[in-house]
Amino acid sequence: GEVELHTHKVHLLARMKRWADLAAHCETFAAEVVKLDGVFVDDIENLNPFPAVLPAKSLPADFFDMAALDATTNVPKTLDATAVGEAVLRMPPAMLPLYLRALRLEERYAESSRASSVLDAHARDNRTNSNVAWLGQEKDKLRRTTAIKEGGDELFRKAQYEQAAAKYAS
């Protein structure tokens, strides 16, 4: 029910190419799920939607509760790389490819790399049946994107602005 609505919203935001909003929605969803850490015990343990996930240490459940904007910078709050690693374990599989794409397109490369690493390790864990066949392609896109951006940045620092623009556009 509710998870399907969140997944539909993520797909809608992707169709609209609203990548920052998509990432924010996924991160808010994951923070809300943290509020359920430790709830599924004893006779309701089998209802846990994320049974192989340990309680969060770096992802505060109330991270987005206080304000949508960071008080010091006045920009929308985003999770750091460590918290993103915990967040991806609390997202439905249908959200993950679009969330990682959003991180890459929003130039949150450290967060995207961390998410990829955590998902890779989680998929290798024999307690899970995670289907992350798409992850290799996303990791390759991230590697290529960062290489192109670094090349463009280097040209920009050398005041070769036209070449930098061409590199960024490639």
Side-chain angles (χ1 to χ4, degrees):
E2 180 185 339
V3 172
E4 289 176 21
L5 290 175
H6 286 284
T7 302
H8 285 301
K9 181 174 181 177
V10 166
H11 285 276
L12 177 64
L13 290 169
R15 280 195 295 273
M16 296 170 66
K17 298 186 183 331
R18 292 180 50 188
W19 303 111
D21 292 335
L22 188 152
H25 183 77
C26 291
E27 291 175 358
T28 303
F29 177 87
E32 289 292 320
V33 171
V34 170
K35 293 176 181 177
L36 301 175
D37 281 1
V39 170
F40 296 100
V41 295
D42 300 330
D43 61 334
I44 62 170
E45 188 173 358
N46 62 331
L47 300 175
N48 188 349
F50 306 102
V53 178
L54 298 173
K57 294 179 182 172
S58 302
L59 176 57
D62 63 351
F63 185 78
F64 296 102
D65 287 355
M66 301 303 173
L69 299 178
D70 185 295
T72 57
T73 61
N74 205 33
V75 296
K77 286 183 170 183
T78 58
L79 298 177
D80 64 19
T82 306
V84 163
E86 291 188 338
V88 293
L89 298 177
R90 290 166 172 79
M91 291 180 199
M95 283 185 188
L96 292 171
L98 293 172
Y99 176 61
L100 266 67
R101 182 178 184 191
L103 291 176
R104 176 174 46 85
L105 293 174
E106 288 297 310
E107 298 184 7
R108 294 176 59 193
Y109 304 133
E111 292 88 343
S112 182
S113 179
R114 175 72 178 152
S116 297
S117 298
V118 167
L119 287 172
D120 229 358
H122 193 67
R124 283 192 310 266
D125 184 348
N126 53 8
R127 295 179 296 167
T128 67
N129 295 327
S130 301
N131 180 5
V132 289
W134 54 270
L135 190 55
Q137 187 177 9
E138 181 60 36
K139 288 167 82 171
D140 185 54
K141 287 179 183 178
L142 176 62
R143 183 192 53 73
R144 287 184 287 137
T145 301
T146 55
I148 289 170
K149 184 176 182 310
E150 288 168 2
D153 290 351
E154 183 61 32
L155 290 169
F156 189 86
R157 281 191 289 279
K158 293 178 181 177
Q160 297 173 342
Y161 303 118
E162 289 182 18
Q163 292 96 331
K167 186 77 166 174
Y168 291 136
S170 67

